Amino acid sequence: MKLWSILGNSQKLDGGAMFGNAPRAMWQAWSQPDDENRINLACRALLASPLNGKTVLFESGIGAFFEPKLRERYGIQESNHVLLDSLQAAGFSHEDIDVVVISHLHFDHAGGLLRAWSEGQAPELLFPNATFVIGKEAWARAVHPHPRDRASFIPELQPLLEASGRLELVDGAQCQALGDSVRFHYSDGHTPGLMLAEIIGSEHADQAPHGGLVFCSDLIPGRPWVHVPITMGYDRNAELLIDEKRAFLEDKLARNVHLYFTHDPDCALAQVQKDARGKYSTTHEVPELHARAL
């Protein structure tokens, strides 16, 4: 199996929103803001092939489905569908993808499932040969959103996914499409039912999987958020997220599972470490993956 980091459309969002109650004096050392207080963010997907005999895309980024006015509002930097270009550069088309795994249906993770905006044209679903794997609780949140995050969802997307006949909703550790090769973890601090996909590494004698990598999604958007107290203003329940993150990192450290970041503009993959004071950070940071073995 080989892995590729697949960049989608990038964003600039308010640094204060991205770092919650952390003061600017702290977070600007991690992410330098522009004149509008915005920081650079990636929307990075992960491509794995063959995984359980299939070509699998984890996440789809924000895509280019927004009309120009909304594209500007949400700080999207490119008008073309960058994810499709990145797939092509890796030697793939969206038609080659057998499975797409979506951690949750906020538009910056699921918008890339749609064709780029074109005036007068209705939204259209890409990936015509793929099974779409989504957590049941995340799906329910998207279908019946709370006013706090209603604007984070794409109303047209859920009906298109359902009508495709290729939607698999998951509420356990495995899914039918990927079998034992991927294990799912769940988190509720950012949004209900956030699904974190772990590509399983080797098995030790005790049958606990070691190695591998986990797609951290919005539980840990990038390296600065590995520090346990750092959360986003977008998180539904920051205190719960901190508790979930601590347990998540302790488990990944114990099993040497690498962290894969979607929103870090400069780092795709890293290992987690903990110092004598119990503070988590990253080491062995990798900016991009190109046909890399796990």
Side-chain angles (χ1 to χ4, degrees), residues 25 31 37-38 41 71 78 88 95 136 163 180 191 209 250 262 275 279 292:
S31 300
N37 205 50
R38 304 178 306 173
L41 295 169
R71 189 169 67 234
E78 307 90 359
Q88 185 176 21
E95 297 175 345
K136 282 186 178 179
D180 295 336
T191 189
E250 191 65 30
T262 185
D275 67 17
K279 180 180 178 180
R292 174 172 170 147

Side-chain angles (χ1 to χ4, degrees), residues 225-236:
W225 294 269
V226 171
H227 185 34
V228 170
I230 302 301
T231 62
M232 296 186 288
Y234 301 109
D235 294 328
R236 171 180 180 251

